[in-house]
């Protein structure tokens, strides 16, 4: 065991030299002040993990991670020594359900914590180094991994020492903790960071939707802005406090930002190099592709077609730091290779097309929920229903409409009839047409588009809350403002647009060119007002009205979308002459 630990130290010494260059500026900016996070944990004022910070204060307990690098155009400096071999454009492919989980988590964080600016590519980069994107996307229709992904037990034997905190509920280990799931949370962190990302009422670290959302909230738990490089570094280091880890994640982040694409679940490439790889004393260069299976540490579940690795050779290890020394050749496995059987087709593999399951006439008034839900049916080429397939619904176009909860994307599993029903669609305040597109997650078939329209708010009745006949002298101003209330079928109609026009007569609705008027911001006379809306109580008070010198009786007409209408009479006249006082009149009676 001493030799095992010594090899880890030599490996760390080589890689740390390169990583130190990338984080020197970050280290120089740390401050000694101490604050507490939202869970009562103490942290530096800049929230930067220190080298002696307890492992249990990270998301993963500083567990091992995959050190494979992107193709050769990955950012410099490389996080570890060695020259990685290009693995081709396939490395940009992300399994469909896993990618969907990352994007949905980003959408939720954009709504809940917009100042964090979390990019989904960061979740993808962390997911890559933690589990190889859930072992190449081996997840079921609900996003739960097929077989648990469990890291080595953190028993202090070459790793951190974290005694059991969950009675083995998540990791099956009642003595020590293990990192669990596609984002490799340790149980003590999951107990407060866990989230329900797929709406099934559970917080499961083995579910990629739950784990991705939890990772997003974890990375955004402080007032960090991840569009700022220093804050981005802090967040990554808080996930796994290793400078090599930081550089590896940043390499994948840059790679995915340059471009990525969706691939079917279960077809992603499996990682090779791990930060704790010590087979035969070798320290393989991350990114090389010669090994057929990744090393397996205690407690991990082999990937598809894999068998557990053989124990290390007892021969003298090769020092990876020695000049001119390459990685040693692992001992040959005497066990003859076995062919991996071709897995039977999944339900997703049988989907030929999507059909509209009855969603027509998708129209709603601004601010209302669409009465009909969008539904799609997955079918085979023969038209048979396909159940247990995940359908992604995406709101497209220039609109603020969204599904319940504010999400623009929703993923739903088809039922036994092959039908997936999207969450209720809620209209925003922006009117006009937009599209909702349904696609099959993990299968390249043509999408199905649904046209939806948001119309403006309406009122069918306008009533005055004051006088309906007002009087003013020529050149003066009307003393009382005009106030109205809008209703729709007897209920308050809020945020309804009201147009007010001074018309020539009840029979001639054209705008008048004389008589009463409003004033614009420059004090000029205007006789039509638009852009005014009723408040939450359906009420609206108009600006003050003025009169020119033209006497007469005028009409102010107020209208709303939906048929609401109210005419108010305005009179402009000189004050009436006062009646004479008989007591002051000279007497006309004849003298006696």
């Amino acid at each position: 065991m001493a030799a095992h630990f010594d090899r880890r130290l030599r490996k760390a010494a080589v890689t740390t030299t390169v990583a130190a260059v990338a984080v020197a500026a970050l280290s120089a900016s740390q401050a000694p002040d101490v604050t507490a996070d939202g869970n009562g944990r103490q942290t530096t004022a800049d929230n930067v993990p220190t080298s002696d910070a307890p492992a249990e204060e990270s998301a993963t307990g500083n567990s091992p991670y995959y050190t494979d690098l992107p193709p050769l155009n990955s950012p410099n400096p490389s996080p570890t020594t060695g020259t990685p071999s290009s693995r081709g454009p396939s490395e940009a492919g992300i399994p469909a359900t896993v990618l969907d989980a990352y994007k949905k988590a980003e959408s939720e964080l954009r709504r809940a914590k917009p100042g964090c600016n979390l990019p989904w590519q960061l979740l993808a980069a962390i997911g890559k180094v933690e589990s190889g994107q859930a072992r190449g996307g081996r997840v079921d229709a609900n996003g739960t991994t097929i077989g648990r992904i469990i890291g080595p037990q953190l028993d202090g034997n070459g790793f951190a020492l974290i005694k059991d905190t969950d009675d083995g509920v998540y990791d099956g280990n009642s003595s020590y903790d293990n990192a669990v799931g596609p984002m490799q949370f340790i149980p003590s962190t999951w107990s407060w960071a866990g989230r329900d990302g797929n709406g099934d009422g559970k917080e499961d670290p083995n579910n990629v939707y739950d784990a991705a959302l939890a990772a997003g909230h974890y990375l955004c738990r402080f007032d960090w802005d991840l569009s700022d490089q220093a804050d981005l570094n802090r967040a990554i280091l808080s996930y796994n406090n290793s400078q090599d880890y930081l550089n590896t994640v940043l390499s994948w982040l840059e790679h995915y930002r340059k471009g990525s694409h969706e691939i079917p679940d279960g077809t992603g490439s499996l990682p090779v190099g791990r930060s704790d790889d010590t087979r035969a004393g070798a320290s393989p260069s991350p990114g090389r592709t010669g090994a057929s299976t990744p090393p397996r540490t205690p407690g991990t579940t082999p990937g598809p077609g894999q068998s557990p690795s053989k124990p290390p050779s007892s021969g003298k290890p090769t020092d990876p730091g020695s000049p001119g020394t390459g990685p040693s050749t692992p001992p040959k496995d005497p066990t003859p290779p076995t062919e991996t059987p071709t897995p039977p087709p999944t339900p997703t593999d049988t989907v030929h097309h999507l059909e509209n399951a009855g969603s027509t006439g998708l129209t709603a008034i601004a601010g209302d929920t669409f009465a009909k839900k969008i539904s799609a049916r997955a079918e085979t080429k023969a038209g048979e229903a396909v159940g247990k397939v995940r359908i992604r619904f995406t709101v497209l176009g220039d609109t603020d409409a969204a599904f319940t909860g504010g999400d623009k994307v929703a993923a739903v599993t088809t039922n036994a009839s092959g039908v997936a029903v999207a969450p209720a669609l809620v209209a925003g305040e922006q009117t006009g047409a937009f599209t909702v597109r349904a696609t099959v997650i993990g299968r390249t078939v043509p999408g199905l588009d649904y046209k939806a329209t948001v119309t403006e708010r309406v009122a069918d009745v306008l009533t005055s809350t004051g006088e309906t006949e007002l009087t003013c002298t020529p050149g003066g101003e009307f003393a009382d403002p005009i106030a109205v209330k809008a209703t729709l079928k007897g209920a308050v109609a809020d945020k309804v647009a009201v147009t007010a026009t001074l018309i020539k007569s009840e029979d001639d609705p054209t705008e008048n060119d004389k008589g009463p008027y409003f004033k614009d911001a420059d004090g000029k006379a205007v006789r039509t007002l638009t852009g005014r809306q009723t408040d939450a109580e359906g009420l609206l008070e108009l600006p003050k009205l003025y009169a020119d010198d033209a006497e007469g009786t005028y009409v102010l007409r107020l209208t709303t979308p939906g048929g609401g209408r109210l005419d108010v009479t305005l009179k402009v006249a000189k004050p009436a002459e006062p009646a004479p006082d008989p007591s002051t009149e000279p007497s006309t009676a004849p003298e006696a």
Side-chain angles (χ1 to χ4, degrees), residues 89-103 120-121 123-125 128 132-134 136-137 252 255-257 259-269 392 442:
S90 64
E91 283 300 299
I94 301 176
T97 298
V98 180
L99 179 60
D100 185 58
Y102 295 152
K103 290 186 174 182
W120 67 260
Q121 291 92 341
L123 297 176
K128 178 68 176 181
Q133 311 296 19
W252 283 107
H255 183 69
Y256 288 133
R257 276 176 166 165
S260 63
H261 57 274
E262 178 181 290
I263 60 176
D265 291 340
T267 64
S269 59
R392 180 190 296 122

Side-chain angles (χ1 to χ4, degrees), residues 31-217:
D33 302 301
V34 174
T35 57
D37 68 13
N39 296 285
R41 294 171 174 78
Q42 288 192 338
T43 179
T44 61
D46 284 344
N47 298 318
V48 182
T50 57
S51 58
D52 58 350
E56 57 266 29
E57 290 188 6
S58 69
T60 66
N62 297 339
S63 291
Y65 56 92
Y66 288 109
T67 57
D68 291 15
L69 292 177
L72 292 175
N73 60 351
S74 59
N76 290 318
S78 299
T80 55
T81 58
T83 303
S85 300
S86 174
R87 303 186 69 176
S90 64
E91 283 300 299
I94 301 176
T97 298
V98 180
L99 179 60
D100 185 58
Y102 295 152
K103 290 186 174 182
K104 186 172 183 180
E106 179 200 55
S107 176
E108 171 60 18
L109 267 297
R110 294 284 181 184
R111 182 190 65 81
K113 298 179 181 179
C116 181
N117 292 310
L118 172 78
W120 67 260
Q121 291 92 341
L122 175 59
L123 297 176
I126 291 176
K128 178 68 176 181
V129 304
E130 293 295 348
S131 67
Q133 311 296 19
R135 293 183 308 209
R138 294 190 69 235
V139 296
D140 64 18
N142 295 316
T144 301
T145 59
I146 300 173
R148 292 191 298 178
I149 303 174
I150 301 177
Q153 69 176 12
L154 302 175
D155 58 2
N157 189 11
F159 308 107
L161 174 60
I162 303 178
K163 294 292 184 67
D164 175 66
T165 61
D166 67 328
D167 293 327
V169 171
Y170 294 120
D171 54 16
N173 189 340
S174 58
S175 299
Y176 300 93
D177 272 353
N178 305 64
V180 179
M183 303 303 277
Q184 288 289 278
F185 279 94
I186 54 174
S188 57
T189 301
W190 184 261
S191 65
W192 60 266
R195 294 292 191 279
D196 177 13
N198 61 354
D200 63 357
K202 297 183 295 183
E203 297 174 356
D204 182 5
N206 300 295
N207 182 277
V208 70
Y209 286 94
D210 295 0
L213 183 59
H217 277 281

Side-chain angles (χ1 to χ4, degrees), residues 204-527:
D204 182 5
N206 300 295
N207 182 277
V208 70
Y209 286 94
D210 295 0
L213 183 59
H217 277 281
Y218 184 91
L219 295 164
C220 293
R221 69 195 186 284
F222 297 119
D223 292 330
W224 285 332
D225 178 0
L226 301 187
S227 64
D228 176 80
Q229 187 64 47
D231 279 356
L232 176 64
N233 292 350
R234 294 180 178 105
I236 296 171
L237 285 172
S238 77
Y239 207 89
N240 189 316
N241 191 9
S242 161
Q243 295 173 355
D244 294 327
Y245 180 87
L246 168 66
N247 279 356
T248 305
V249 170
L250 289 177
S251 294
W252 283 107
L253 171 60
E254 180 67 13
H255 183 69
Y256 288 133
R257 276 176 166 165
K258 290 179 178 178
S260 63
H261 57 274
E262 178 181 290
I263 60 176
D265 291 340
T267 64
S269 59
L270 297 176
V272 177
R274 278 175 63 104
S275 60
D276 63 331
D277 186 14
T278 57
R279 292 178 300 169
S283 179
S285 299
R288 294 194 183 275
T289 59
S292 60
T293 60
R296 179 173 180 253
T297 53
T300 57
T301 304
Q306 296 177 0
S307 59
S309 300
K310 290 292 181 180
S313 167
S314 58
K316 183 178 179 180
T318 301
D319 184 352
S322 301
T325 302
S328 64
T329 304
K332 294 184 178 180
D333 190 338
T335 305
T338 58
E339 293 186 2
T340 303
T342 302
T346 66
T348 302
D349 295 332
T350 67
V351 177
H352 178 266
H353 61 273
L354 291 175
E355 289 287 344
N356 188 331
S359 304
T360 58
L362 298 171
T363 302
I365 296 173
D368 287 356
T369 299
F370 282 76
K372 296 180 180 179
K373 291 184 178 180
I374 296 174
S375 56
R377 174 182 159 95
E379 295 183 355
T380 64
K381 187 175 183 179
E384 297 176 347
V386 184
K388 297 182 179 181
V389 172
R390 289 185 68 77
I391 306 298
R392 180 190 296 122
F393 298 92
T394 307
V395 178
L396 304 173
D398 184 15
T399 180
D400 55 354
F403 296 113
T404 302
D407 291 332
K408 293 280 190 177
V409 179
V412 183
T413 303
T414 58
N415 58 22
S417 299
V419 176
V421 181
L425 189 62
V426 181
E429 295 302 322
Q430 187 172 343
T431 60
F434 63 95
T435 299
V436 177
R437 179 167 297 163
T439 55
V440 180
I441 296 176
R443 179 80 168 160
T444 304
V445 298
L448 182 61
D449 287 351
Y450 301 79
K451 300 299 181 183
T453 304
V454 177
T455 60
E456 57 187 341
R457 294 171 182 260
V458 299
D460 54 12
V461 175
L462 274 176
T463 56
S464 174
T465 60
E467 298 294 330
T468 57
E469 184 172 310
L470 303 177
T471 303
C472 177
T473 58
E477 59 186 52
F478 290 85
D480 298 322
I482 296 174
V484 296
K485 182 174 184 177
T487 56
L488 177 64
K489 297 180 181 179
V492 168
D494 63 325
K495 297 183 180 179
V496 173
V498 177
T499 299
T501 305
L502 288 147
I503 60 177
K504 291 183 176 180
S505 70
E506 291 184 359
D507 298 327
D508 185 357
T510 58
E511 181 182 282
N512 212 332
D513 55 1
K514 62 180 179 178
Y517 61 90
F518 299 103
K519 288 183 179 179
D520 62 14
D522 297 325
K524 296 180 180 179
V526 293
R527 290 187 168 86

